[in-house]
Amino acid sequence: MNRDGEGTALEAVGLGKRYRRRRGHVLRDCSFRLPAGRICALVGPNGTGKSTLLALAAGLTRPTEGTVRVLGTTPARARERFAYVAQAKPLPPQLTVAATLRLGAELNRARWDRTTAERIAYGPEYGRAYGPEYGDTAGRTAPDLDLDLDPGPDLVREGALRPGDRIRSLSGGQRTRVALALAFGKRPELMLLDEPMADLDPLARRELLGALLGEAAEHGTTIVMSSHVIAELEGVCDHLFLMGGGRIRLGGDPERLLAAHTLLTGPARDLSGHTVVESHGTGRQLTALIRTDHPPTDGWETAAPSLEELLLAHLRNPEAPDLFTEEPEKADEGDEAGPTGGTGDPGTTAATGVTGETGETGEENVRP
Amino acid sequence: MTTTLPAPPRSAPAPGLGLARSLLRLHRSALWCWLLLVVALAAAMLWAYGPGYETAAADVQEQCRTDIEACHFPGGPWLSRYSATVALTTLVVSFLPLLVAAWAGAALVGRELENGTAHLAWTQSVSPARWLAAKLAVPALFVTVGAALLVPLHRLMWNGGGDLLWTDWFDAYGFRSNGPVALAYALCGLAVGVLAGLLTGRTLPALGVAVTVMFAITQLGDQYRPSMWPTVTVTGARSLSLPDQALQLDRGVITDDGLRIGNNMACSDADGSVADLRSCLAHSDLADVWATFHPRSHFWPLQLTESGIVLAVAALAATAAFVLLHRRTAAAGAAV
């Protein structure tokens, strides 16, 4: 999977960022480690620092505190090896799609993959429909092209891009396609995609996910996608980061994150002794999401939570302790960032302090 | 260019070339506008230098032959066409630095930071520093080529029409159009514009800041130009008849006590004859008169000194731009 033997695609230690004009930190004490080769979903509500984190990783801004390392080195040194697509999908409005791709070729001369870029921009059928001049040059002969010159609706789907289209005339989703084509054309080892799905229709979303999964499978590319829509990434990602309060609150394999939690239902009663992520009651009935490998058996009805339930429960309770299913490895370096426990052992964090507090919250919810 | 030299062996494609080509692609319309402007100015100045001047001169001569008054107050449609062309082209050439600054601040940098396409470039295989270097170098090349064409043409036109135009070598607009300071100010405009774009990060504020600052710089240049090279001071009768086309800066008297008084026109109407001056001085209890001026021969020293100063300002602005960009973007990925 990882080509460098480095094994870490993205790593932050005590990362913090505050903007001059705004008070307070957007990111604070953010520590995590993303192994190479993962497809990672970066989820969280609006304004929790997802875009800031990705911009820091892309080397576009400088952290106020801490460090971020990309592909085992600094963002500046890794520049050629990662791709970044900003949330606004900025592209020079005056260029045509073809000129934009040429721009990508000129700015990434060492590693540009034109075929891949054009396949993403114009769709997989494009080369067939319009001939080798624009894209797929492999294995098409002139007679085939003659036959295909007038593509039917099944060949080029509605809204597909043409090379001569100006960027300023494109819709948001079409711009996203071009921005992603630039990212794919770079043949990166790591893709940092900020809300890549937001403007895409369901069909285009499916195509994009297919392309991303294909890229990851074929080349071992690490992919980090941010989103505030949790559902759209479920089942696709094999790593998950939940952001909140300017840090990563949950990190790891979604399966293992889910396995670490249990949804309890039963008559209202004391839950102290457990790490309660969230509990809410309806009358005498109590539903609680607790963090444990060994669910209590005494009279509780237990169930495995869905990913959405798990994330929403954490979002609704900012007090819930952080959890990483894989420890951020070299986190010891960030000792000075330690006190708030972002990098600390989740087990000990869970066992102290926070537990009672969340238990109280649970009881309060029960009474009315 | 010679074709006999073998091309140096190249293992990897030069990255700077791709960056330069991408820059030209992005600013193609600006490039065309610049070419159009240079060609239009060059054509207008060539016309004024050749047919414009000749027609106007012939017309003035013709009028003088028919009407004695026209000899002293030359006029006529051709002369006004000719002098308007000269005035307009001089105005445009002398204010090109403002145009360059406005474009560099707004279109070259401000807009790219505002809509995020700068960040797009920085996350391709191009570092912000190289991006900025290209933003300065490629336009600088075109500005230099344009100035190298326009300035000699302007000199031709300006010097060729001296008898019809009553021009002075120290005229502010003419001075800024007639020598290397034109290029220096234009390059300074580029650097100031780029810095303004980086500072504001937005199109319109960058435009405003760049034009304002560049205007201030040219005005300061106009104001302090006489101090940029040692002046010549003469006393006695020579101060009353300064050399032809001298830029007189001050004139005054020296009292019998040896006190030097500036900005004093006493005895300056003595008509140059030594005897006349002596009687006037004796009459007014003065020892001597003096005048300070720049002779015409100071044109080139003044041009070169001012160019040096303005280029230093440009270098300062460019350095500030690099430092600013370096501090903003993450060179190390770590807080410093």
Side-chain angles (χ1 to χ4, degrees):
Chain A
M1 280 292 207
N2 54 78
R3 278 160 279 186
D4 297 309
E6 186 68 34
T8 302
L10 195 58
E11 187 178 30
V13 178
L15 194 63
K17 176 73 184 173
R18 62 187 299 170
Y19 292 106
R20 220 180 311 158
R21 288 182 203 120
R22 260 196 268 166
R23 278 186 204 159
H25 282 71
V26 179
L27 279 185
R28 176 166 241 165
D29 259 335
C30 185
S31 297
F32 62 87
R33 176 179 169 268
L34 175 66
R38 302 290 174 94
I39 298 178
C40 172
L42 181 64
V43 297
N46 295 323
T48 43
K50 299 191 295 290
S51 296
T52 301
L53 178 60
L54 289 177
L56 284 169
L60 292 177
T61 49
R62 191 177 275 254
T64 319
E65 300 115 26
T67 55
V68 59
R69 292 177 71 77
V70 179
L71 299 164
T73 179
T74 62
R77 288 224 187 92
R79 181 168 279 120
E80 295 195 10
R81 292 155 61 207
F82 69 81
Y84 166 78
V85 175
Q87 188 168 11
K89 317 291 180 299
L91 293 167
Q94 72 270 32
L95 295 188
T96 62
V97 176
T100 309
L101 295 188
R102 248 174 275 140
L103 194 75
E106 283 159 1
L107 296 180
N108 299 289
R109 289 173 78 128
R111 46 195 305 149
W112 185 250
D113 183 339
R114 183 178 163 191
T115 313
T116 305
E118 285 174 345
R119 196 184 68 231
I120 299 293
Y122 306 134
E125 308 296 348
Y126 195 82
R128 277 219 287 156
Y130 285 81
E133 193 187 333
Y134 293 118
D136 182 16
T137 51
R140 299 303 296 181
T141 53
D144 293 332
L145 292 171
D146 278 345
L147 291 174
D148 288 342
L149 262 180
D150 183 24
D154 54 327
L155 266 179
V156 175
R157 69 178 188 84
E158 212 175 340
L161 292 172
R162 288 183 303 271
D165 290 342
R166 297 257 164 209
I167 297 293
R168 67 161 63 90
S169 72
L170 301 183
S171 73
Q174 290 174 316
R175 285 165 57 105
T176 303
R177 284 182 83 94
V178 181
L180 286 165
L182 280 182
F184 273 86
K186 203 177 171 184
R187 265 284 127 78
E189 292 164 44
L190 166 68
M191 282 190 169
L192 303 166
L193 309 177
D194 198 352
E195 300 274 4
M197 313 280 204
D199 295 320
L200 296 180
D201 62 67
L203 187 57
R205 245 172 234 220
R206 194 176 276 242
E207 279 177 15
L208 168 62
L209 282 177
L212 286 172
L213 292 177
E215 188 76 7
E218 201 177 329
H219 304 285
T221 314
T222 312
I223 295 166
V224 181
M225 279 183 283
S226 80
S227 177
H228 58 264
V229 184
I230 294 155
E232 75 182 14
L233 298 175
E234 192 166 5
V236 178
C237 55
D238 55 11
H239 205 92
L240 185 107
F241 284 136
L242 172 69
M243 286 203 79
R247 63 181 199 281
I248 304 282
R249 296 183 51 205
L250 290 180
D253 184 346
E255 310 255 318
R256 290 173 66 181
L257 284 173
L258 284 175
H261 293 83
T262 307
L263 200 58
L264 300 178
T265 318
R269 100 180 90 128
D270 187 23
L271 270 170
S272 59
H274 296 289
T275 307
V276 180
V277 176
E278 186 198 33
S279 69
H280 50 90
T282 48
R284 273 168 292 170
Q285 196 77 357
L286 180 71
T287 306
L289 184 75
I290 65 165
R291 185 176 296 168
T292 172
D293 292 333
H294 311 286
T297 46
D298 47 337
W300 290 100
E301 211 175 292
T302 62
S306 75
L307 192 58
E308 190 151 5
E309 280 169 332
L310 177 71
L311 296 177
L312 286 176
H314 279 85
L315 292 183
R316 281 193 287 254
N317 179 15
E319 306 290 329
D322 300 347
L323 175 66
F324 290 91
T325 64
E326 285 157 85
E327 277 305 281
E329 270 167 16
K330 303 153 196 164
D332 320 22
E333 297 165 14
D335 272 351
E336 69 274 21
T340 50
T343 63
D345 177 13
T348 54
T349 321
T352 55
V354 191
T355 316
E357 221 174 298
T358 45
E360 276 167 32
T361 321
E363 279 173 12
E364 265 173 30
N365 284 344
V366 177
R367 270 175 208 140
Chain B
M1 287 287 169
T2 165
T3 50
T4 51
L5 280 170
R10 215 173 253 172
S11 51
L17 202 63
L19 187 56
R21 274 167 65 183
S22 76
L23 198 67
L24 294 182
R25 195 186 299 290
L26 279 175
H27 299 284
R28 183 168 290 169
S29 50
L31 179 62
W32 282 114
C33 286
W34 175 246
L35 284 179
L36 208 67
L37 182 68
V38 169
V39 167
L41 281 172
M45 290 193 290
L46 275 176
W47 177 84
Y49 169 65
Y53 171 75
E54 277 154 27
T55 319
D59 188 42
V60 166
Q61 228 163 30
E62 183 60 37
Q63 286 179 49
C64 180
R65 215 168 281 149
T66 54
D67 180 4
I68 188 70
E69 207 172 311
C71 298
H72 299 286
F73 303 100
W78 284 108
L79 180 62
S80 57
R81 249 167 248 164
Y82 168 70
S83 57
T85 307
V86 172
L88 196 69
T89 49
T90 302
L91 193 73
V92 175
V93 172
S94 65
F95 280 103
L96 273 183
L98 265 67
L99 190 73
V100 173
W103 172 78
L108 186 66
V109 174
R111 189 179 59 193
E112 290 221 10
L113 284 173
E114 188 170 66
N115 66 19
T117 47
H119 306 92
L120 181 75
W122 303 345
T123 47
Q124 306 305 310
S125 305
V126 173
S127 73
R130 289 228 340 259
W131 171 86
L132 182 60
K135 291 259 166 195
L136 286 166
V138 176
L141 183 72
F142 282 92
V143 164
T144 307
V145 169
L149 183 72
L150 293 179
V151 169
L153 281 178
H154 190 271
R155 283 185 63 79
L156 269 184
M157 175 183 80
W158 189 261
N159 296 337
D163 52 339
L164 280 185
L165 292 167
W166 306 89
T167 52
D168 293 311
W169 63 269
F170 48 81
D171 171 86
Y173 293 171
F175 189 87
R176 288 212 308 265
S177 315
N178 269 340
V181 291
L183 175 60
Y185 275 113
L187 292 178
C188 186
L190 178 67
V192 164
V194 165
L195 180 60
L198 280 176
L199 273 172
T200 59
R202 279 172 299 148
T203 310
L204 279 178
L207 182 104
V209 170
V211 169
T212 310
V213 170
M214 205 50 221
F215 184 74
I217 289 176
T218 54
Q219 293 309 301
L220 284 174
D222 287 348
Q223 193 174 342
Y224 290 102
R225 183 164 303 132
S227 334
M228 290 181 193
W229 192 255
T231 52
V232 177
T233 301
V234 289
T235 54
R238 286 213 297 153
S239 77
L240 297 180
S241 54
L242 294 179
D244 196 29
Q245 290 205 311
L247 167 60
Q248 183 194 301
L249 299 167
D250 201 359
R251 160 185 295 288
V253 294
I254 302 170
T255 62
D256 285 335
D257 311 332
L259 192 65
R260 233 179 152 84
I261 301 172
N263 193 19
N264 191 311
M265 306 302 261
C267 292
S268 62
D269 53 354
D271 58 3
S273 71
V274 180
D276 200 13
L277 176 64
R278 275 210 188 115
S279 73
C280 174
L281 289 175
H283 188 71
S284 317
D285 293 336
L286 293 172
D288 208 347
V289 291
W290 56 273
T292 300
F293 67 101
H294 276 301
R296 190 183 179 149
S297 62
H298 281 189
F299 175 81
W300 283 106
L302 281 170
Q303 279 274 345
L304 294 176
T305 321
E306 187 169 347
S307 300
I309 293 169
V310 173
L311 283 177
V313 173
L316 215 62
T319 311
F322 275 104
V323 170
L324 186 73
L325 190 64
H326 180 77
R327 286 180 53 169
R328 286 230 189 114
T329 57
V336 179

